[in-house]
Each structure stands twice: as C-alpha cells, then as structure tokens.
Amino acid sequence: MSGAARHRPLGVVTRGTTNPNRLRRVDNWIVATCADRLLAAADPLVVDLGYGATPVTAVELRARLAAGVRPDVRLVGLEIDPARVAAATPAADPPGLTFARGGFELAGLRPVLVRAFNVLRQYDESEVPDAWRTMTAALAPGGVLVEGTCDELGRLASWLLIDADGPRTLTLAAKLTTLGSPAELAERLPKALIHRNVPGEPIHELIRALDDAWQAAAPYATFGPRQRWLSAVTRLRETGWPILNGPNRWRQGELTLPWPAAPRGA
Ligand SMILES: C[S@@+](CC[C@H](N)C(=O)[O-])C[C@H]1O[C@@H](n2cnc3c(N)ncnc32)[C@H](O)[C@@H]1O
C-alpha cells in the first residue's frame, strides 16, 4: 500500500480555479529565498498542495526549482479531489513530477517545502490554525510551508512562510506596471490576515504605511513604477518597519518582513 493510500485526506474539495503563470511571483521568491533548504536536503521533496483543476502551476514550480535550485528536485502535486488527480496524471514526469491524492496531512510525505496557494482562502478562518499545524507537523525537520493567496492572474499576491512554530514572515508582492496603489493588496491577503485588516492590527498599520510611502514616492513615478516601489520600501524601512531581504528582491515588487510584525518603530 502506498503512503498516499494509508492516510485519509484531510480537508474538503473546493473550487479548482487556476491559471498558467499565476504563481510566478511566489515561485521566484521560493527559488531566491528557500534554495538553501532544498540544497541542504538529502531528499529535495516539495509538495504543491491543492493544485486545482489543471496541474499547470505544479508543472511550473517543478520547472522553476529544477532550473533555479537543483535539477533533482522531486515535486509531488497533492489534490483532495480524485478527479483532479486523474486529470493531472498525463502531465506526470516521474521521478521529478508526480501527482497523488492527499490533504493537509500531506499523504504521508515528509517534504522540505510545501506550497499551498489559494487553498485556505476557501476555508473558514477558524480552520486555518489547525490546517497549518497539520501541514507543518508533516514536514521534514527544518521544513517550511508557504501559504498564500493571489488574484486570478497573479498580479497581486501575499504569502506567509510558516514553520513548526507558526508564521515567520509575510510577503506582499505586486505586478508594479498594473498596480494603482498598495492598498489593492488588502484584497489578496492570506486567510489568516484578511479579516484582521482593521485599525489597531499590524497588517492594517503595514498596508497604511506602505500606501503612505507609495504616495510620498510619487515623484519617482517618472522613472517607472519599479523606482517608485524601491523608494517606498526604502522609506518604510527608514521609518522602522523591519523589512527583510534587499533591493534585489524589492525591485521585483516584493516586500517581506517578519511576522507577527513589530509595529512601526518597535
Ligand atoms: C483555487 S484551487 C488553487 C489552484 C492552485 N494552487 C492555484 O493557486 O492556482 C484550490 C484547490 O485546492 C484543493 N484543496 C482544497 N482543500 C484541500 C486540501 N485540504 N488538500 C488538498 N487539496 C485541497 C481544491 O480541491 C482545489 O482544487
């Protein structure tokens, strides 16, 4: 009996909406910031949990990791919907890319990294902590979960890096050429934060501060949205927000900071 067959998949079938290239922002961030974990792993196993109606984003993640981190990466796409597992099977390319039925328990696998995107959004907020705990308990030692949300085309995205102790970082990411203002990111927060975007909560403070910095950086718009974003992020950092990574990541339209966040100036 396979590992997948021994475990009852935890979770429920939800809408399968997906799109090619929708998850490129989080994939590029994973390649840039999680490569060390994968390179150090004896078994570089990655799970894409809840890949949806077609396996296209799982295929893309495997390709990005194989090209950008290590060619022997093994990606297993897990879906709770058996029909979606059957539909994905023709896209398998073993041993580097396979598909199986599984849920938050990760089907008995012990991956170094799990990407779960646009999965928890369709659950109740009260179900999120248990889902995180179940997934992180199944990780290989030192493994991480990247859990987040994006819009249909992946122009607005946000995600949390979570380990066995809970969320470690929050990343907000946007396609800068179509971004009106960073406040738009509020619509695409991870499930755990979406209802917390109210005065007094760090996520509300952060989005407001980022929006203010973006307005203050308006003169840089003449040099393009990238320069404007860089200026806004630099300004935010100067006001005390503990922004991580560096300009190489910021210029991609990203912002990563420890989470739960220290309020401004703390
Ligand atoms: C909106 S689709 C997301 C597809 C893809 N990850 C993306 O972001 O484009 C969500 C998928 O997650 C699956 N799903 C929901 N809960 C799950 C669980 N606990 N374990 C595995 N898959 C799950 C649903 O069946 C659905 O196909």
Side-chain angles (χ1 to χ4, degrees), residues 10 12 14-15 18 22 50-52 79 84 102-103 117-118 123:
L10 294 177
V12 293
T14 55
R15 279 191 309 277
T18 190
R22 181 191 202 196
Y51 52 80
E79 246 295 335
R84 292 175 187 158
F117 239 76
N118 298 303
Y123 284 75

Side-chain angles (χ1 to χ4, degrees), residues 87-252:
T89 302
D93 178 20
L97 178 64
T98 53
F99 299 97
R101 183 151 188 247
F104 296 134
E105 82 301 334
L106 306 184
L109 301 172
R110 302 290 278 173
V112 186
L113 188 138
V114 175
R115 182 188 70 182
F117 239 76
N118 298 303
V119 175
L120 288 181
R121 194 171 171 87
Q122 297 175 65
Y123 284 75
D124 192 84
E125 189 188 349
S126 62
E127 297 174 279
V128 170
D130 267 358
W132 284 353
R133 265 192 294 276
T134 307
M135 286 187 272
T136 54
L139 293 169
V144 287
L145 162 67
V146 179
E147 190 270 303
T149 306
C150 68
D151 66 351
E152 207 181 319
L153 299 179
R155 291 175 172 175
L156 298 169
S158 66
W159 56 88
L160 292 160
L161 180 82
I162 301 167
D163 66 15
D165 295 325
R168 313 303 295 191
T169 64
L170 166 72
T171 300
L172 304 177
K175 181 178 165 105
L176 296 176
T177 49
T178 53
L179 184 70
S181 109
E184 292 167 19
L185 284 157
E187 299 156 26
R188 295 292 158 175
L189 291 173
K191 188 75 189 194
L193 294 178
I194 200 146
H195 300 300
R196 297 193 180 270
N197 188 22
V198 291
E201 291 280 353
I203 186 62
H204 187 266
E205 275 278 290
L206 172 66
I207 291 179
R208 202 175 47 91
L210 179 59
D211 219 48
D212 288 350
W214 176 256
Q215 298 313 329
Y220 286 82
T222 23
F223 305 110
R226 211 180 273 265
Q227 288 306 318
R228 184 175 179 181
W229 179 266
L230 269 174
S231 168
V233 172
T234 305
R235 195 175 291 256
L236 204 59
R237 195 157 176 257
E238 284 165 3
T239 59
W241 286 91
I243 315 273
L244 299 173
N245 305 332
N248 278 350
R249 295 311 316 161
W250 305 344
R251 72 178 79 250
Q252 307 303 321

